[in-house]
Amino acid sequence: MGPKTKKPGNKKKKISKAERLRQLQEEEERRQKEEEEARLKYEKEEMEKLEIKRIEREKWRQLEAKDLERRNEELEELYLLERCFPEAEKLKRETRLLSQWKHYIQCDGSPDPSVSQEINTFISLWKEETNETFEEVIGKSKLVLNLIDKLKLILLETPPYDLQDKIVTQYQGSILELQELLHCKFNTATEILLRQASTLADLDSGNMEKVIQDENITLYVWANLKKNPRYRSVRFSETQIGFEIPRILATSDIALRLLHTHYDQVTPLRPVPTSLQEHTSTITNLVRDEEKNLEAAISKEMQEECKQEENESNSVHEEEIKVEDQGETEVKMLLLLENAHEKPSDLDDNEVDLCQFTTLGGVYHLDILELPPQCKPMKGWMVVEILKEGLQKYIYPPETTEDFETEYSFPPIEVTLEVHENVIFFEDPMVARWDAEGKHWKTDGISNVSYKSEERLITFNLETFGPVTLIQDSHINMPYQSWELRPLDVNKVLLSVTTIFAEIQIQIKENLCMLASIKVNNKKHSSILEGRWMTPVSFITALKEAGLNIFPTRHSHFYVIINYKVPLTEMKAYRQMALLSSAFAFGWSRWNMLCDSKKVVFKVREHLRKEEPIEDPNWALLMFSGDRAQRLKIDEYSDTFSEALKEETEFHSTLYHMVKDFASEEAMEKIRSSNDQFIDSVGHMLLLTRVLSYS
C-alpha cells in the first residue's frame, strides 16, 4: 500500500495574534457603535415623550384655562335650568296646603286626619259604638287604615323643616290611637263571635271553625267545644294553615285565633327628624361655596344688563333669594345621601335589627283564648253571660310550671302559615316574634322552621303565642349589578335596576312613578303594583312593602359593601342627569369602581326615538367630579382605566355643557322644554336608589 493522502480541510488555519486583535477591535467598535445608536435612539424617544407630555400639558393647561374662562357662564346657565327643583318643591308645598281644602269640598263624611279635633271626635264616637260584629269592624277598618296611611304619608312627604315637633307628636299620637282602637275592636268582635260558637259548631267535628277574609285582614278562629283529646290537628277550610296542639289544649275550653293583618301596625313608628341643625351644619358648608359662586356670577350678569340702579338692585336681590332657594334645595337633597356615623348597637340578645331587616307580609296575631260562656236558649230568648273582664288569653305554658314539666306537658306548638301572595321573598323568610315587654321583634323561642316556596307555606314551632311576622334582609338586592336610565317619551323615562336576584323596571312621568315590570331569576314575575301610577313617596313605600327594596338608608353602608362617593359629587350628578334624561340615556360603567371617591363615571348616549334598547349601543364614557365633566378616551371594553381625555373634546363645568358638544339640536330642545315636576321626580328617584354608589 502507498502512503496515506491527507484529507483537505482537516487542519484549521491558525489565526495570527495581530488578526485576533484586529477582530476584537472591530467587535468593540461595533458594540460601541450599537450602544451609541441605542443611546441616541433612547434619548430621541425620551425627548419625543417629553415633547408629547409637554404638548399634552400645554393642551391640558389651555383646556383648563378655557374651562375656567367660561365657568361662570356655564354655571349661570345651569342655575337657570336647575330652577326646576325649587319650582317643583314649591308645587309640592302648594299641593300639601291645598289637601285640607280638597278634603273639605269632597264632603264624604270622613274626618281630616291632619285636624286634631276631627280625628279625636271620630275616635270618641267609634269608642262609644259597641257590640259590632267582625264584618262591621272590617267595614270600618278600611276607613281607619286609610286615615292611618294619610297621616304616615304626610309625615313622609313633608320635609323635616316644615314639620313642627308638636305636629309630629300629634300625628304619631293619632296613628297609635287608631291602631290600638282598631285592634281593640277586633278583640271585641272576636269575643262576640266566640259567644256564638255553640250555634256555629261543625256537624262532623262538633267544634266551631270560622274564616273571614278581606283585602286587609284574614281571620281564622277555631273553638274547642268537644274537647276531644285525639283531635290535635287544627286545619282551616281544608287548607294546610293551622296548628298542631298538645293534649292539654285539646282537652281545654279554649279557642285558637289567627288574625293575619296584611299591614304592620306592631313595629314602632320610626322617629321623624324635625331639627336639621345637627345634620345640616357640615352639608351647608359643602354647598356654601357653590352658592357664593352662583351669586357672584348672577350678580355680575345682572349688573351688566341692568342700566338703572333701582332696577339693578331689585333684580339682584330677587336673584339672590332664588339662589338661596336653590342652595336650600341642594341641602335637602344632600340629606338623602347622608350616611350615619354609628351603627345601631344597643340591641338585646336575639333582637331583630330593623336597620338591617324588614318585616314583610303583615303581622300574624296568634292567640290562645279562653272560651267565653256560650249563648243558651231560654223561653224563646238567647241568654248569654257577659264577663266584665272581656276576652281573656289562655296562658300557655303556665307561668308557675317547672322546666321539666313544661318540656313534656307544654311542648312548643307547631304553626303553619301562608305567606302573603303580594310579597316577594328572594330567600327563605325568617320568623320573628313580638316581645311586648321590650317593644321589639326577637328570633328566640322559634324552632324547626321550614318553608315551601311553591305552596307559600311556612311551618315552625312556637314556645309562646303572640304576634309573629316574617322578615327579610333589607339589603338583599344590594349592591346592584347594573342600572340604566332611558327616555321613553316626552317627560317619561324608564329606570332599570338589575340585582343578583331581580331586574326591576320603573317608569317615571311628571310627578308619578309606576312599576313597569319585574323579573325574578330571569323569569317574568307578576305584581299587583304593575301599571299603578303613584307619587314617588307612596311608590317607594309600596315597593318596600312588597319586598322590592332598592332604596338604601342612612345605615345601609354598614350592611353592604358600597362604592363610596362624595355626597356633593353624587348629588350634582343625579340632578344634572335628571335635567338631561328627556333626551339622553345613562348607564352603569365598570370604571366607576376604579375612579376615586370624588369622581363618578357612567355611560351616556343620545336617545330620541322610542326604539327598544340595542345590545351594544354607541355609548360615550363621561367622568364627573361635580366641578368638571370630561369625555374619556377609553371605552367600556378597554383593558385598563385611564382618565385621558378623548381626542378633540374639552372640559366643561357641567354635564349639560359636556353633552351639548355632541348633542343634536332636537335633543337640546327636548331638554329645555322638560317638565319641572318630571325632572324633580327623576332626580328624587336617582337620589333614593343611589345607583352611583350602590352599584
Side-chain angles (χ1 to χ4, degrees), residues 348-352 431-436 440-447 449 460-465 467-468 471:
D348 294 342
D349 293 339
N350 302 307
E351 180 182 348
V352 176
V431 184
R433 65 173 184 85
W434 179 248
D435 181 359
H440 49 235
W441 295 105
K442 299 187 75 172
T443 55
D444 61 342
I446 300 165
S447 58
V449 180
F460 54 91
N461 289 350
L462 191 62
E463 292 180 4
T464 57
F465 269 32
V468 167
I471 59 175

Side-chain angles (χ1 to χ4, degrees), residues 14-24:
K14 192 173 182 180
I15 301 175
S16 64
K17 187 176 181 180
E19 183 69 18
R20 188 180 294 113
L21 288 172
R22 186 183 64 79
Q23 288 180 356
L24 290 173

Side-chain angles (χ1 to χ4, degrees), residues 544-556:
K544 287 181 178 180
E545 291 176 350
L548 301 172
N549 187 5
I550 52 171
F551 307 100
T553 65
R554 297 177 63 242
H555 296 92
S556 293

Side-chain angles (χ1 to χ4, degrees), residues 109-122:
S110 64
D112 184 344
S114 63
V115 180
S116 60
Q117 293 89 343
E118 292 189 27
I119 198 69
N120 290 338
T121 301
F122 172 80

Side-chain angles (χ1 to χ4, degrees), residues 63-79 289-291 293-294 297 301 572 576 624-629 651-654 657:
L63 290 172
E64 284 183 329
K66 190 174 182 180
D67 177 39
L68 189 61
E69 182 182 345
R70 63 190 175 200
R71 178 174 174 75
N72 282 347
E73 182 183 344
E74 290 186 349
L75 287 176
E76 183 189 359
E77 189 172 359
L78 176 66
Y79 158 74
D289 292 337
E290 303 297 321
E291 291 184 36
N293 291 337
L294 284 172
E301 291 294 325
K572 287 184 176 181
Q576 295 181 39
F624 184 55
S625 66
D627 297 320
R628 174 180 291 172
F651 297 133
H652 285 280
S653 298
T654 72
H657 294 91

Side-chain angles (χ1 to χ4, degrees), residues 18-32:
E19 183 69 18
R20 188 180 294 113
L21 288 172
R22 186 183 64 79
Q23 288 180 356
L24 290 173
Q25 187 176 358
E26 287 178 355
E27 288 178 4
E28 180 65 21
E29 289 175 355
R30 186 166 55 252
R31 186 184 62 79
Q32 290 179 356

